[in-house]
Amino acid sequence: MSTLTRPSPLTRLRRGHWAAPAASALLITVAAVLSWTAGVNPFSGGHGPSDLTTGSALLVGVSDLLMVAAAAVSGVPILIGALRALLVRTIAIELLVSIATIGAVIVGEFWEAAAVTFLFSVGHALEAATLTKTRSALTELVAVAPDTAVVLRDGTQVEVSAAQVAVEQIVLVKNGAKVPVDGVVLTGSGTLDEASITGESLPVEKVEGDHVFAGTVSTGGFLQVRATGVGVDTTLARIIHRVEEAQDAKAPAQTFMEKFSTWYTPIIILGAVITAWVTGDVVLGLTLLVIGCPGALVISIPVAIVAGIGRGAKDGILIKGGQHLETAARISAVALDKTGTLTEARPHLTDVTVLDPALDRGEVLAWAARAEAGSEHPLSRPIIDAATTAGRAVEGLPEQTFPIPGKGIVAIVDGHRVSVGNLPLLAAEGITDDSGAAAQVDRLARLGRTPMVVTLDARVIGIIAVADQVRSDAEEMVSRLHTSGIRTVVMLTGDARRVAEAVAAEVGVDEVHAELLPEDKLDVVRRLQSERHTVAMVGDGVNDAPALAAADIGVAMGAAGTGVAIETADIALMKDDLLKLPQAVALARKTIRVMTQNITIALITVTVLLVGVFAGGVTMTLGMLVHEVSVLVVVLNAMRLLRPDAAAGGSRRAPGSIADRAPAAGEPAVSAS
């Protein structure tokens, strides 16, 4: 295997952005020493006094030639850049500098020519270095990509290139190693640092059945992983691709600024020519060319966008591009799906209420579980699991099962007709005596639970209820959204209104829209937009697809394991963490503030320099120096976005659900099986 050698510092200098300014600085230094030796100030301009001795005049002549050479060394790359831009019909900043430099040489301002090109090339090198820093998030992502993998082949451990691992192969992840593939843990246990994928600062424990991602690092334990995604199909590869595209995508403000510069630059050239012609002062015209360089203005927006998107990538927030970053900063309304967003999408049994004195709780639960054994409804699983836990094992399937859409299920179990569903199911079954079920259903629904009436052979025997646990950070997330200035937080759900209202009351949303079909969610989003809201929709991308597509910003949560979400969502929150949503909004707004600051800095700099030129005292050299300083200030200001923000304050609530709170006064206690 060949070994790659790092180039020497001298080689890197010669090949890098610093080669031209370094050579130019050396020539300027030698030229200055020669002029001083001849008794001439090298920075005074012109060719020096006429009464010089022959030797001194020779030294001054050589000094002038070296100054011209310095201007050429650092100016030729600038001229090449200007010509390349002209070939694609673009008048670039480099053209202004090139014209000013050539003009300065013609009128004998050799020091000005050398200084302008030297300062411009130094500024370009510093700008390139700092821009590279703003793209550090992408560099770090590429750096964590694993190179090798240890796979099991015929029971033997074999080390191969990560690119050679095939889907379904068994990969071994040892302590300290990088995970080379996306996969599922088959055996073993350990902890992984997933910061590169989700932004999570603490290691995550992994056991059998858990998903792992390429690029994460084992901090302990030993895992056998079945590969499900390799090469370009890994989550890490998709993130890198997404960040590359996002950092290159142009925001509307950036596009406007580029169009502005295409008119601004020719106007500056025309203004400089007119000024030189009217005043008869060629140097003044050349100085205006240098002063008018819109470098800080042009770079003010893209550097902020690159830094903002990079910071988001480090924090597990993928933003599709500058356009979506700008839109996210204007969000004034957030629409949230309930199930799987505000709740954990893991319903559990909370209540078993007996309404037939001939039966006990275990029997009511057993009949319900036997009937639900033939159901595909997601609420059947917690009922069956609760019965199994209570010692009422569910064996086999009902003889017959009849799903009743929108109402529940009817099943024939050991010759008995059992139904589990809502109150309208009783009417469908022809049952007129509800044995007080309506009152209990109303009470349980007000508590945020989903009640289901259980009947046996046309008589009501009890009620069971399930509840989905509200996420521990849901209330804090809504609070942070409100604090950040978002006026309206809306919950959209297909669940029953009483259940939805109970969840909404707990988390603090402003509006509740319940019992919705997918197209109804779309209507709510469009209504918010008609009220001049910029709407972000957070959902799972399945039944929320129409609303996600219509919203100004579609947000996917927990996207680390979902390649489709990474590629299609406007903003993808890699970790299943609600607090990432207000963090994303805050990042977008901070990025826009930095963009505004940068534009202000650039405009003030150009204005002050123009006033200084006509007032006297601002030379070409000073103008270029201030111009390059303004460019660096703009870039460094954008780099502030790369600093991780301090964690937002506020207490975190302990996990709990509406179903877990104590009964209010006057409410009968209920038991959960």
Side-chain angles (χ1 to χ4, degrees):
M1 182 181 294
S2 63
T3 303
L4 295 176
T5 58
R6 291 173 60 91
S8 67
L10 185 61
T11 302
R12 291 200 301 272
L13 176 65
R14 189 174 66 251
R15 296 176 181 174
H17 296 288
W18 290 101
S24 181
L26 178 62
L27 291 170
I28 290 173
T29 302
V30 174
V33 170
L34 291 176
S35 287
W36 275 319
T37 302
V40 174
N41 182 359
F43 311 127
S44 61
H47 300 278
S50 58
D51 59 346
L52 292 175
T53 64
T54 303
S56 295
L58 181 61
L59 289 176
V60 170
V62 174
S63 174
D64 288 343
L65 288 174
L66 290 176
M67 285 291 187
V68 173
V73 167
S74 53
V76 167
I78 300 172
L79 179 61
I80 292 173
L83 295 175
R84 285 176 176 171
L86 285 174
L87 289 176
V88 292
R89 299 181 180 181
T90 300
I91 300 178
I93 300 169
E94 286 82 357
L95 183 62
L96 297 180
V97 178
S98 298
I99 294 173
T101 302
I102 294 170
V105 171
I106 291 173
V107 299
E109 296 288 342
F110 304 128
W111 152 245
E112 294 281 9
V116 165
T117 55
F118 168 71
L119 288 171
F120 189 87
S121 59
V122 168
H124 179 68
L126 287 172
E127 179 185 321
T130 48
L131 280 173
T132 299
K133 177 65 177 174
T134 62
R135 291 183 177 269
S136 60
L138 185 57
T139 304
E140 290 174 14
L141 284 173
V142 173
V144 302
D147 298 319
T148 61
V150 178
V151 299
L152 274 182
R153 291 180 178 171
D154 299 325
T156 303
Q157 297 185 26
V158 181
E159 183 172 331
V160 299
S161 165
Q164 293 178 325
V165 180
V167 175
E168 298 298 327
Q169 277 193 321
I170 307 302
V171 177
L172 305 183
V173 180
K174 303 176 182 180
N175 183 22
K178 291 180 182 178
V179 180
V181 297
D182 283 2
V184 178
V185 177
L186 290 181
T187 62
S189 63
T191 54
L192 297 180
D193 179 353
E194 295 187 334
S196 59
I197 302 296
T198 66
E200 173 62 61
S201 58
L202 298 176
V204 180
E205 188 170 350
K206 298 292 182 179
V207 295
E208 182 179 342
D210 287 343
H211 290 273
V212 299
F213 306 109
T216 56
V217 180
S218 173
T219 57
F222 179 81
L223 302 173
Q224 289 192 34
V225 175
R226 176 175 59 83
T228 58
V230 298
V232 296
D233 291 328
T234 63
T235 299
L236 177 63
R238 284 191 287 266
I239 292 174
I240 292 173
H241 172 67
R242 179 65 176 273
V243 174
E244 282 177 335
E245 286 189 334
Q247 290 189 333
D248 290 334
K250 294 179 181 179
Q254 181 181 349
T255 302
F256 168 78
M257 197 61 67
E258 289 179 354
K259 289 180 179 178
F260 169 77
S261 67
T262 60
W263 289 97
Y264 173 85
T265 307
I267 289 172
I268 289 294
I269 294 175
L270 181 62
V273 171
I274 292 173
T275 300
W277 178 65
V278 171
T279 63
D281 189 343
V282 176
V283 175
L284 177 61
L286 296 176
T287 304
L288 283 177
L289 286 178
V290 173
I291 300 303
C293 287
L297 197 60
V298 171
I299 202 174
S300 60
I301 293 175
V303 70
I305 288 173
V306 168
I309 290 174
R311 178 69 259 170
K314 288 184 177 181
D315 292 337
I317 301 169
L318 288 189
I319 302 172
K320 196 170 187 178
Q323 176 183 351
H324 302 291
L325 193 66
E326 283 193 34
T327 304
R330 300 195 305 270
I331 291 172
S332 59
V334 174
L336 302 162
D337 182 38
K338 180 181 78 70
T339 305
T341 301
L342 291 173
T343 64
E344 295 183 348
R346 291 195 297 269
H348 60 284
L349 186 77
T350 59
D351 302 83
V352 178
T353 303
V354 180
L355 298 178
D356 186 337
L359 301 174
D360 60 24
R361 288 184 176 84
E363 290 172 312
V364 171
L365 179 58
W367 282 114
R370 291 287 305 279
E372 291 286 356
S375 172
E376 295 180 353
H377 196 280
L379 294 183
S380 63
R381 189 72 258 167
I383 297 171
I384 296 171
D385 290 344
T388 302
T389 302
R392 302 277 182 165
V394 179
E395 299 177 355
L397 298 173
E399 292 95 280
Q400 290 181 283
T401 301
F402 309 100
I404 311 298
K407 296 177 181 178
I409 191 170
V410 176
I412 305 300
V413 180
D414 296 338
H416 297 277
R417 188 176 182 89
V418 182
S419 72
V420 183
N422 54 23
L423 289 173
L425 183 59
L426 296 183
E429 286 290 283
I431 301 173
T432 56
D433 181 9
D434 69 357
S435 301
Q440 292 295 324
V441 165
D442 183 67
R443 178 183 65 81
L444 291 167
R446 278 189 282 111
L447 295 176
R449 301 161 190 170
T450 301
M452 291 168 279
V453 182
V454 183
T455 72
L456 176 63
D457 294 331
R459 74 180 191 277
V460 175
I461 61 173
I463 297 174
I464 58 175
V466 298
D468 192 2
Q469 182 138 321
V470 175
R471 289 177 184 260
S472 60
D473 50 4
E475 183 180 359
E476 185 177 353
M477 180 268 294
V478 175
S479 174
R480 289 193 188 183
L481 289 175
H482 282 144
T483 302
S484 70
I486 290 176
R487 304 193 300 272
T488 306
V489 181
V490 179
M491 185 175 78
L492 310 179
T493 180
D495 211 341
R497 175 160 296 278
R498 286 286 180 84
V499 175
E501 287 175 346
V503 173
E506 182 171 353
V507 301
V509 300
D510 303 299
E511 295 180 18
V512 182
H513 299 272
E515 300 173 356
L516 301 179
L517 296 173
E519 54 267 30
D520 298 326
K521 295 182 180 182
L522 172 62
D523 291 339
V524 174
V525 169
R526 285 179 172 165
R527 177 183 64 78
L528 289 169
Q529 290 172 326
S530 70
E531 296 171 358
R532 302 205 169 178
H533 281 293
T534 299
V535 182
M537 174 69 194
V538 187
D540 59 17
V542 183
N543 60 345
D544 302 318
L548 282 165
D552 299 287
I553 291 288
V555 182
M557 277 188 53
T562 312
V564 173
I566 293 175
E567 295 298 333
T568 59
D570 300 324
I571 297 179
L573 309 179
M574 304 307 294
K575 185 184 175 188
D576 199 11
D577 180 357
L578 285 174
L579 298 184
K580 291 288 185 183
L581 179 59
Q583 185 180 349
V585 174
L587 174 63
R589 291 182 174 176
K590 185 174 181 181
T591 303
I592 298 304
R593 284 198 301 272
V594 168
M595 286 167 52
T596 304
Q597 292 164 2
N598 283 352
I599 292 170
T600 303
I601 292 169
L603 291 176
I604 289 176
T605 301
V606 171
T607 302
V608 170
L609 286 175
L610 286 174
V611 171
V613 168
F614 289 105
V618 176
T619 63
M620 287 175 60
T621 302
L622 179 59
M624 179 55 70
L625 178 62
V626 174
H627 164 74
E628 292 304 332
V629 168
S630 71
V631 170
L632 287 179
V633 169
V634 161
V635 175
L636 292 172
N637 187 44
M639 286 180 66
R640 293 189 300 114
L641 292 167
L642 295 176
R643 296 199 308 243
D645 293 324
S651 59
R652 298 290 297 264
R653 296 171 55 250
S657 74
I658 347 169
D660 293 332
R661 70 171 176 83
E667 289 180 3
V670 292
S671 65
S673 177

